[in-house]
Amino acid sequence: MPGVPPSRFAYLGPSGTFTEAALLRLPAAQRGTRIPMRNVPEALDAVRGDDADAALVPIENSVEGSVPVTLDALVSGDPLVITAEVVLPVGFVLAARTPGEVTSIASHPHALAQVRRFLRTNYPDAAIVEVLSTAAAARDVVAGRADACVCAPLAAEVNGLTVLDEDIADNPGAATRFALVSRPSPPPPPTGNDVTSLVVYIAHDKVGALLSVLTELAVRGVNLTRIESRPTGERLGRYAFYLDCTGHVTEERVGEALMGLKRVCAEVRFLGSYPRDTDENPVAPPIGLGNHDFADATRWLQGLRSGG
Protein backbone atom coordinates (compact mmCIF):
# COMPACT_ATOMS: atom_id res chain seq x y z
CA MET A 1 0.00 0.00 0.00
CA PRO A 2 1.25 3.55 -0.72
CA GLY A 3 2.70 5.14 2.40
CA VAL A 4 3.25 1.80 4.18
CA PRO A 5 5.81 1.95 5.66
CA PRO A 6 5.59 5.75 5.87
CA SER A 7 8.20 7.87 4.15
CA ARG A 8 6.59 11.36 4.37
CA PHE A 9 6.25 12.68 7.92
CA ALA A 10 4.33 15.82 8.89
CA TYR A 11 5.19 17.35 12.26
CA LEU A 12 4.59 20.48 14.33
CA GLY A 13 7.15 22.89 12.90
CA PRO A 14 9.10 24.88 12.09
CA SER A 15 12.42 23.07 12.17
CA GLY A 16 13.90 22.86 15.65
CA THR A 17 10.79 21.98 17.66
CA PHE A 18 10.68 19.29 20.31
CA THR A 19 8.36 17.45 17.93
CA GLU A 20 11.09 17.30 15.29
CA ALA A 21 13.56 16.09 17.93
CA ALA A 22 11.09 13.32 18.84
CA LEU A 23 10.49 12.49 15.18
CA LEU A 24 14.22 12.01 14.63
CA ARG A 25 14.10 9.15 17.13
CA LEU A 26 12.18 7.10 14.57
CA PRO A 27 14.54 5.39 12.08
CA ALA A 28 12.04 5.68 9.22
CA ALA A 29 11.77 9.44 9.77
CA GLN A 30 15.54 9.80 9.67
CA ARG A 31 15.49 8.29 6.17
CA GLY A 32 12.23 9.86 5.00
CA THR A 33 10.98 13.34 4.18
CA ARG A 34 10.07 15.58 7.12
CA ILE A 35 7.37 18.18 6.45
CA PRO A 36 6.98 20.98 9.04
CA MET A 37 3.42 22.20 9.61
CA ARG A 38 2.10 25.32 11.34
CA ASN A 39 -0.11 23.53 13.87
CA VAL A 40 -1.41 20.13 14.96
CA PRO A 41 -4.72 20.14 13.00
CA GLU A 42 -2.80 21.04 9.85
CA ALA A 43 -0.39 18.14 10.41
CA LEU A 44 -3.24 15.66 10.88
CA ASP A 45 -5.15 17.02 7.89
CA ALA A 46 -2.03 16.47 5.78
CA VAL A 47 -2.34 12.76 6.60
CA ARG A 48 -6.08 12.72 5.92
CA GLY A 49 -5.49 14.45 2.57
CA ASP A 50 -2.63 12.09 1.58
CA ASP A 51 -0.09 14.92 1.60
CA ALA A 52 1.81 12.94 4.26
CA ASP A 53 1.91 9.28 5.23
CA ALA A 54 2.07 9.95 8.97
CA ALA A 55 2.21 12.85 11.42
CA LEU A 56 3.96 13.13 14.75
CA VAL A 57 2.05 15.31 17.22
CA PRO A 58 2.34 16.02 20.97
CA ILE A 59 -0.37 14.32 22.97
CA GLU A 60 0.59 14.57 26.65
CA ASN A 61 3.08 16.29 28.93
CA SER A 62 4.10 15.08 32.38
CA VAL A 63 3.69 18.60 33.84
CA GLU A 64 0.87 20.22 31.88
CA GLY A 65 -1.16 17.11 31.10
CA SER A 66 -2.82 16.43 27.77
CA VAL A 67 -2.63 18.60 24.67
CA PRO A 68 -6.32 19.40 24.04
CA VAL A 69 -5.85 20.54 20.44
CA THR A 70 -4.43 17.12 19.56
CA LEU A 71 -7.20 15.19 21.31
CA ASP A 72 -9.88 17.28 19.63
CA ALA A 73 -8.28 16.99 16.18
CA LEU A 74 -8.06 13.20 16.48
CA VAL A 75 -11.82 12.77 16.90
CA SER A 76 -13.00 15.33 14.36
CA GLY A 77 -12.88 14.50 10.68
CA ASP A 78 -11.97 11.20 9.05
CA PRO A 79 -10.64 8.49 11.39
CA LEU A 80 -6.92 8.26 12.12
CA VAL A 81 -4.99 5.76 14.24
CA ILE A 82 -1.88 5.93 16.40
CA THR A 83 0.80 3.46 15.29
CA ALA A 84 3.66 4.42 17.64
CA GLU A 85 4.53 6.71 20.52
CA VAL A 86 7.71 8.58 21.42
CA VAL A 87 8.40 9.80 24.95
CA LEU A 88 10.95 12.63 24.91
CA PRO A 89 12.61 14.19 27.97
CA VAL A 90 12.04 17.93 27.69
CA GLY A 91 14.79 20.43 28.51
CA PHE A 92 14.49 24.17 27.89
CA VAL A 93 16.97 26.98 27.33
CA LEU A 94 16.54 30.74 27.26
CA ALA A 95 18.11 32.03 24.05
CA ALA A 96 18.63 35.43 22.41
CA ARG A 97 20.51 36.93 19.46
CA THR A 98 23.11 38.43 21.79
CA PRO A 99 23.41 38.90 25.55
CA GLY A 100 21.62 42.04 26.70
CA GLU A 101 18.48 43.40 28.27
CA VAL A 102 15.48 41.09 27.96
CA THR A 103 12.14 42.90 27.90
CA SER A 104 10.09 40.30 26.00
CA ILE A 105 10.18 36.50 25.97
CA ALA A 106 8.35 34.34 23.41
CA SER A 107 7.41 30.66 23.52
CA HIS A 108 4.62 28.09 23.22
CA PRO A 109 2.10 28.19 26.11
CA HIS A 110 3.05 24.67 27.29
CA ALA A 111 6.73 25.61 27.40
CA LEU A 112 6.01 28.85 29.28
CA ALA A 113 3.97 26.91 31.83
CA GLN A 114 6.95 24.66 32.52
CA VAL A 115 9.34 27.56 33.26
CA ARG A 116 7.03 29.87 35.22
CA ARG A 117 9.15 29.86 38.37
CA PHE A 118 12.36 30.57 36.45
CA LEU A 119 10.81 33.50 34.55
CA ARG A 120 9.14 34.93 37.64
CA THR A 121 12.43 34.82 39.56
CA ASN A 122 14.83 35.99 36.86
CA TYR A 123 12.73 38.06 34.43
CA PRO A 124 9.72 39.31 36.42
CA ASP A 125 9.22 42.43 34.29
CA ALA A 126 9.57 40.82 30.85
CA ALA A 127 6.52 40.73 28.59
CA ILE A 128 5.47 37.15 27.76
CA VAL A 129 4.50 36.43 24.14
CA GLU A 130 2.68 33.19 23.28
CA VAL A 131 3.38 31.68 19.84
CA LEU A 132 2.58 28.46 17.97
CA SER A 133 5.78 26.56 18.85
CA THR A 134 9.11 26.93 20.61
CA ALA A 135 10.85 26.92 17.23
CA ALA A 136 8.56 29.72 16.01
CA ALA A 137 9.60 31.65 19.12
CA ALA A 138 13.25 31.24 18.13
CA ARG A 139 12.45 32.62 14.68
CA ASP A 140 10.68 35.58 16.26
CA VAL A 141 13.88 36.37 18.15
CA VAL A 142 15.89 36.20 14.94
CA ALA A 143 13.37 38.56 13.29
CA GLY A 144 13.52 40.99 16.22
CA ARG A 145 9.92 40.45 17.34
CA ALA A 146 11.09 39.31 20.79
CA ASP A 147 14.28 39.78 22.79
CA ALA A 148 14.52 36.15 23.92
CA CYS A 149 12.73 32.83 23.72
CA VAL A 150 12.17 29.67 25.72
CA CYS A 151 12.99 26.85 23.32
CA ALA A 152 14.67 23.50 22.79
CA PRO A 153 18.45 23.45 22.49
CA LEU A 154 17.94 22.26 18.90
CA ALA A 155 15.97 25.42 18.03
CA ALA A 156 18.67 27.67 19.46
CA GLU A 157 21.30 25.83 17.44
CA VAL A 158 19.30 25.82 14.19
CA ASN A 159 18.63 29.56 14.43
CA GLY A 160 22.14 30.59 15.53
CA LEU A 161 21.02 32.00 18.89
CA THR A 162 23.08 32.55 22.01
CA VAL A 163 22.00 30.48 25.01
CA LEU A 164 21.60 32.78 28.03
CA ASP A 165 20.44 30.12 30.51
CA GLU A 166 20.37 26.31 30.33
CA ASP A 167 18.14 23.72 32.02
CA ILE A 168 15.55 26.30 33.06
CA ALA A 169 12.56 23.96 33.52
CA ASP A 170 10.87 24.10 36.92
CA ASN A 171 10.58 20.28 36.85
CA PRO A 172 13.83 18.77 35.55
CA GLY A 173 12.27 15.34 34.96
CA ALA A 174 9.57 16.59 32.56
CA ALA A 175 8.77 14.56 29.46
CA THR A 176 6.37 14.87 26.54
CA ARG A 177 4.59 11.98 24.85
CA PHE A 178 4.17 12.17 21.08
CA ALA A 179 1.89 10.07 18.87
CA LEU A 180 2.69 8.92 15.34
CA VAL A 181 -0.63 9.03 13.51
CA SER A 182 -1.57 7.53 10.15
CA ARG A 183 -4.63 6.60 8.14
CA PRO A 184 -6.48 3.47 9.37
CA SER A 185 -4.55 0.25 8.76
CA PRO A 186 -3.92 -3.02 10.63
CA PRO A 187 -2.17 -2.27 13.95
CA PRO A 188 1.48 -3.19 14.46
CA PRO A 189 1.88 -6.67 16.00
CA PRO A 190 1.67 -6.96 19.79
CA THR A 191 4.89 -6.69 21.76
CA GLY A 192 3.60 -7.64 25.21
CA ASN A 193 3.95 -4.01 26.34
CA ASP A 194 1.35 -2.10 24.34
CA VAL A 195 -1.20 0.70 24.64
CA THR A 196 -4.72 0.76 23.23
CA SER A 197 -6.25 4.22 22.88
CA LEU A 198 -9.98 4.89 22.55
CA VAL A 199 -12.57 7.63 22.64
CA VAL A 200 -15.95 6.64 24.06
CA TYR A 201 -19.21 8.56 24.01
CA ILE A 202 -21.58 7.59 26.81
CA ALA A 203 -25.34 7.86 27.04
CA HIS A 204 -25.71 10.92 29.27
CA ASP A 205 -29.30 10.08 30.17
CA LYS A 206 -28.25 6.71 31.61
CA VAL A 207 -27.38 6.54 35.33
CA GLY A 208 -23.97 4.96 35.91
CA ALA A 209 -22.94 5.15 32.25
CA LEU A 210 -19.29 5.95 33.02
CA LEU A 211 -19.17 3.22 35.67
CA SER A 212 -20.35 0.77 33.00
CA VAL A 213 -17.38 1.77 30.84
CA LEU A 214 -14.89 1.25 33.65
CA THR A 215 -16.50 -2.06 34.61
CA GLU A 216 -16.09 -3.49 31.09
CA LEU A 217 -12.33 -2.95 31.44
CA ALA A 218 -11.93 -3.95 35.08
CA VAL A 219 -13.75 -7.29 34.89
CA ARG A 220 -11.38 -8.35 32.10
CA GLY A 221 -8.21 -7.25 33.85
CA VAL A 222 -7.51 -4.41 31.42
CA ASN A 223 -5.55 -1.69 33.23
CA LEU A 224 -6.71 1.87 32.56
CA THR A 225 -3.66 4.17 32.52
CA ARG A 226 -5.36 7.43 31.50
CA ILE A 227 -8.89 8.79 31.34
CA GLU A 228 -9.83 12.33 30.39
CA SER A 229 -13.03 14.08 29.44
CA ARG A 230 -13.38 16.61 26.64
CA PRO A 231 -16.53 18.53 25.65
CA THR A 232 -18.21 17.25 22.51
CA GLY A 233 -19.27 20.74 21.45
CA GLU A 234 -22.94 19.75 21.36
CA ARG A 235 -23.95 21.59 24.53
CA LEU A 236 -22.97 22.01 28.16
CA GLY A 237 -22.61 18.72 30.00
CA ARG A 238 -21.86 16.61 26.92
CA TYR A 239 -18.44 14.97 27.11
CA ALA A 240 -16.41 12.31 25.35
CA PHE A 241 -13.88 10.25 27.33
CA TYR A 242 -10.37 9.51 26.13
CA LEU A 243 -8.95 6.23 27.43
CA ASP A 244 -5.49 4.67 27.35
CA CYS A 245 -5.41 1.01 28.36
CA THR A 246 -2.60 -1.50 28.60
CA GLY A 247 -2.80 -4.30 26.06
CA HIS A 248 -3.37 -4.85 22.34
CA VAL A 249 -6.55 -5.16 20.32
CA THR A 250 -5.51 -8.64 19.14
CA GLU A 251 -5.45 -9.95 22.73
CA GLU A 252 -8.53 -11.87 23.83
CA ARG A 253 -9.19 -9.86 26.98
CA VAL A 254 -8.76 -6.50 25.23
CA GLY A 255 -10.95 -7.63 22.34
CA GLU A 256 -13.69 -8.72 24.74
CA ALA A 257 -13.44 -5.39 26.57
CA LEU A 258 -13.83 -3.48 23.31
CA MET A 259 -16.89 -5.54 22.41
CA GLY A 260 -18.31 -4.77 25.84
CA LEU A 261 -17.72 -1.05 25.35
CA LYS A 262 -19.41 -1.23 21.97
CA ARG A 263 -22.50 -2.64 23.66
CA VAL A 264 -22.76 -0.09 26.49
CA CYS A 265 -21.50 3.12 24.82
CA ALA A 266 -23.27 5.41 22.39
CA GLU A 267 -20.13 5.36 20.20
CA VAL A 268 -16.56 4.05 20.38
CA ARG A 269 -13.70 5.39 18.25
CA PHE A 270 -10.63 3.16 18.13
CA LEU A 271 -7.45 5.24 18.09
CA GLY A 272 -4.98 2.39 17.80
CA SER A 273 -2.91 -0.29 19.55
CA TYR A 274 0.83 0.37 19.56
CA PRO A 275 4.04 -0.30 21.56
CA ARG A 276 4.70 1.72 24.72
CA ASP A 277 7.87 3.79 24.63
CA THR A 278 9.03 2.85 28.11
CA ASP A 279 11.22 0.34 29.91
CA GLU A 280 8.56 -0.15 32.59
CA ASN A 281 6.74 -3.45 32.58
CA PRO A 282 2.96 -3.38 32.23
CA VAL A 283 0.80 -4.10 35.27
CA ALA A 284 0.08 -7.84 35.36
CA PRO A 285 -3.63 -8.79 35.15
CA PRO A 286 -5.26 -10.42 38.18
CA ILE A 287 -5.28 -14.21 38.48
CA GLY A 288 -7.77 -15.67 36.04
CA LEU A 289 -7.72 -12.63 33.74
CA GLY A 290 -4.54 -13.22 31.74
CA ASN A 291 -4.56 -13.75 27.98
CA HIS A 292 -4.06 -17.52 28.42
CA ASP A 293 -7.05 -17.65 30.79
CA PHE A 294 -9.27 -16.06 28.14
CA ALA A 295 -7.91 -18.40 25.47
CA ASP A 296 -8.63 -21.44 27.69
CA ALA A 297 -12.14 -20.21 28.40
CA THR A 298 -12.79 -19.66 24.69
CA ARG A 299 -11.65 -23.20 23.84
CA TRP A 300 -13.80 -24.59 26.64
CA LEU A 301 -16.90 -22.77 25.36
CA GLN A 302 -16.23 -23.87 21.79
CA GLY A 303 -16.04 -27.44 23.06
CA LEU A 304 -19.41 -27.10 24.77
CA ARG A 305 -21.00 -25.70 21.63
CA SER A 306 -19.59 -28.45 19.46
CA GLY A 307 -20.66 -31.17 21.89
CA GLY A 308 -17.05 -32.17 22.58
Side-chain angles (χ1 to χ4, degrees):
M1 293 175 59
V4 180
S7 61
R8 302 171 299 158
F9 297 86
Y11 70 95
L12 177 61
S15 180
T17 58
F18 286 107
T19 309
E20 184 181 28
L23 183 61
L24 288 171
R25 292 195 168 197
L26 301 174
Q30 296 172 15
R31 300 187 299 268
T33 301
R34 298 187 297 276
I35 310 168
M37 310 301 286
R38 291 175 296 181
N39 52 55
V40 168
E42 189 176 271
L44 296 181
D45 284 343
V47 178
R48 290 186 173 107
D50 199 24
D51 294 318
D53 302 320
L56 192 76
V57 292
I59 196 167
E60 182 183 8
N61 178 265
S62 61
V63 176
E64 286 299 295
S66 67
V67 181
V69 66
T70 299
L71 299 183
D72 293 344
L74 280 173
V75 297
S76 61
D78 295 335
L80 296 170
V81 293
I82 301 171
T83 59
E85 71 172 18
V86 178
V87 176
L88 182 75
V90 176
F92 296 100
V93 300
L94 185 74
R97 283 176 294 176
T98 58
E101 184 181 8
V102 174
T103 62
S104 59
I105 299 173
S107 196
H108 186 275
H110 268 237
L112 292 168
Q114 294 181 65
V115 297
R116 282 193 190 103
R117 190 183 311 125
F118 169 84
L119 295 181
R120 191 166 53 243
T121 301
N122 297 280
Y123 299 92
D125 298 323
I128 303 302
V129 182
E130 295 185 353
V131 296
L132 290 174
S133 70
T134 54
R139 291 192 174 187
D140 282 351
V141 172
V142 172
R145 290 188 288 270
D147 295 331
C149 64
V150 174
C151 65
L154 176 62
E157 179 183 342
V158 167
N159 290 279
L161 299 178
T162 299
V163 174
L164 305 181
D165 294 282
E166 295 182 293
D167 299 324
I168 64 174
D170 298 337
N171 294 275
T176 296
R177 177 178 168 226
F178 297 85
L180 185 68
V181 180
S182 66
R183 291 179 292 280
S185 61
T191 65
N193 193 3
D194 303 290
V195 182
T196 292
S197 296
L198 311 162
V199 180
V200 299
Y201 299 82
I202 64 174
H204 291 274
D205 57 351
K206 178 183 175 183
V207 176
L210 181 57
L211 178 60
S212 298
V213 169
L214 302 179
T215 300
E216 293 294 336
L217 301 173
V219 298
R220 295 173 177 88
V222 177
N223 187 38
L224 182 65
T225 58
R226 186 172 74 96
I227 180 171
E228 181 169 350
S229 62
R230 289 289 300 160
T232 63
E234 299 170 3
R235 64 176 186 268
L236 285 173
R238 297 288 178 173
Y239 288 86
F241 292 86
Y242 295 75
L243 311 178
D244 281 344
C245 314
T246 57
H248 194 279
V249 65
T250 59
E251 297 174 6
E252 291 278 355
R253 62 196 181 100
V254 176
E256 282 200 17
L258 294 184
M259 288 190 292
L261 293 176
K262 178 65 176 174
R263 290 193 298 269
V264 303
C265 294
E267 182 182 347
V268 178
R269 177 173 279 207
F270 176 69
L271 294 181
S273 289
Y274 48 93
R276 297 175 70 205
D277 185 20
T278 178
D279 294 331
E280 297 179 5
N281 293 321
V283 176
I287 295 174
L289 295 177
N291 288 323
H292 64 282
D293 297 310
F294 278 87
D296 287 344
T298 298
R299 287 192 292 268
W300 174 76
L301 180 60
Q302 289 172 344
L304 295 180
R305 289 172 172 173
S306 64

